[in-house]
């Protein structure tokens, strides 16, 4: 039951293109933030990774793979009423962020 509840908490991620950037985001459950999110956690992945690493596969995020540490970060943010958003770097070959862009 614990595993199922942990999965359910992360199963509402939205994966979409926002201004040309692959983006995954999720609002906290209503019980965690009755009046809306208390804040927003921006998640930046490391080289060779992407936004879809932070959430598990779901019907609304078919490309998500959900790496363990990344899922833990998102789960903690949602549990305290924060929204979470991750954006993939533009350079998908290296997966790294370009500090000059």
């Amino acid at each position: 039951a614990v595993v199922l509840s942990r999965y359910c908490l992360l199963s509402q991620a939205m994966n979409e293109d926002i201004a040309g950037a692959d983006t995954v985001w999720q609002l906290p459950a209503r019980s965690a933030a009755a009046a809306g999110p208390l804040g927003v956690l921006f998640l930046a992945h490391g080289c060779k990774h992407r936004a879809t690493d932070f959430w598990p596969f779901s019907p609304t995020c078919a490309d998500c793979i959900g790496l363990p540490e990344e899922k833990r970060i998102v789960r903690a943010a949602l549990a305290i009423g924060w929204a979470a958003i991750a954006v993939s770097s533009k350079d998908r070959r290296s997966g790294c962020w370009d500090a000059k862009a």
Side-chain angles (χ1 to χ4, degrees):
V2 172
V3 173
L4 181 58
S5 67
R6 284 183 179 175
Y7 173 77
C8 290
L9 184 63
L10 297 178
S11 66
Q12 299 175 16
M14 299 301 297
N15 183 207
E16 57 187 311
D17 182 291
I18 298 177
D22 182 31
T23 306
V24 184
W25 60 273
Q26 184 174 342
L27 297 175
R30 290 188 191 270
S31 60
L38 300 175
V40 177
L41 176 63
F42 173 75
L43 301 156
H45 60 78
C47 290
K48 302 292 183 192
H49 290 277
R50 53 187 13 170
T52 53
D53 292 352
F54 289 91
W55 281 268
F57 172 87
S58 71
T60 55
C61 194
D63 292 330
C64 286
I65 61 169
L67 298 176
E69 287 185 42
E70 285 79 351
K71 289 190 307 183
R72 232 176 270 125
I73 294 166
V74 173
R75 190 180 305 117
L78 295 172
I80 62 170
W82 284 55
I85 184 167
V87 178
S88 292
S89 62
K90 288 278 189 184
D91 184 348
R92 295 314 319 143
R93 194 169 60 146
S94 73
C96 296
W97 294 95
D98 183 356
K100 297 177 186 174

